[in-house]
Amino acid sequence: MKKYYEKQLNEIESIVEKVNYFSYISGLAYWDMAVNMPKEAGKSRGETLGFLSSELYKLITNDRTYNLLCELEDISDLTLEEAAMIKNLKEESDKTKKYQKISIKIFP
């Protein structure tokens, strides 16, 4: 059965890798902003962080990612690591979508 979903699993692993990269880069940018950044770089850094946040949001909440996660979450012969990766990303996707709905209600 693993052959059937191997392509989907590889795609999710690639998405998780990108999520980790975006998170790491954002963390470095925030750290730099707090510690070293020249005062005149604030606008540019804010725009960069906004871009990174937007791309991360799109990656986590897009329909393709969500459908892959739903398709894979009930597979019985996943390794513990694969199952945890899918569970964690799906929880993050659900949480992000939930906050989006709350934001839309509060800030129309």
Side-chain angles (χ1 to χ4, degrees):
M1 182 158 179
K2 200 158 192 157
K3 287 254 188 220
Y4 169 75
Y5 61 83
E6 191 170 342
K7 182 179 176 188
Q8 293 92 328
L9 191 56
N10 288 338
E11 191 172 346
I12 287 294
E13 288 172 347
S14 175
I15 290 167
V16 168
E17 185 176 46
K18 289 175 187 175
V19 166
N20 289 336
Y21 287 151
F22 277 121
S23 297
Y24 179 73
I25 292 167
S26 294
L28 282 176
Y30 276 112
W31 172 82
D32 184 57
M33 191 167 58
V35 176
N36 301 342
M37 187 182 75
K39 290 180 182 180
E40 43 300 325
K43 182 178 185 281
S44 174
R45 184 58 48 88
E47 290 169 354
T48 301
L49 286 167
F51 171 80
L52 289 170
S53 178
S54 174
E55 292 301 305
L56 181 58
Y57 172 82
K58 286 188 259 184
L59 187 61
I60 291 174
T61 62
N62 74 58
D63 290 340
R64 175 69 181 154
T65 299
Y66 194 77
N67 291 338
L68 284 168
L69 292 168
C70 290
E71 190 176 326
L72 292 169
E73 73 179 337
D74 293 326
I75 303 293
S76 61
D77 63 336
L78 294 171
T79 66
L80 289 175
E81 291 82 9
E82 292 166 341
M85 174 183 63
I86 291 164
K87 179 180 181 275
N88 290 338
L89 186 57
K90 186 155 187 305
E91 286 175 356
E92 187 65 29
S93 178
D94 289 339
K95 181 175 71 173
T96 302
K97 285 180 178 187
K98 178 181 174 184
Y99 290 138
Q100 177 196 20
K101 289 177 184 175
I102 291 170
S103 295
I104 290 170
K105 288 180 183 177
I106 294 173
F107 305 106

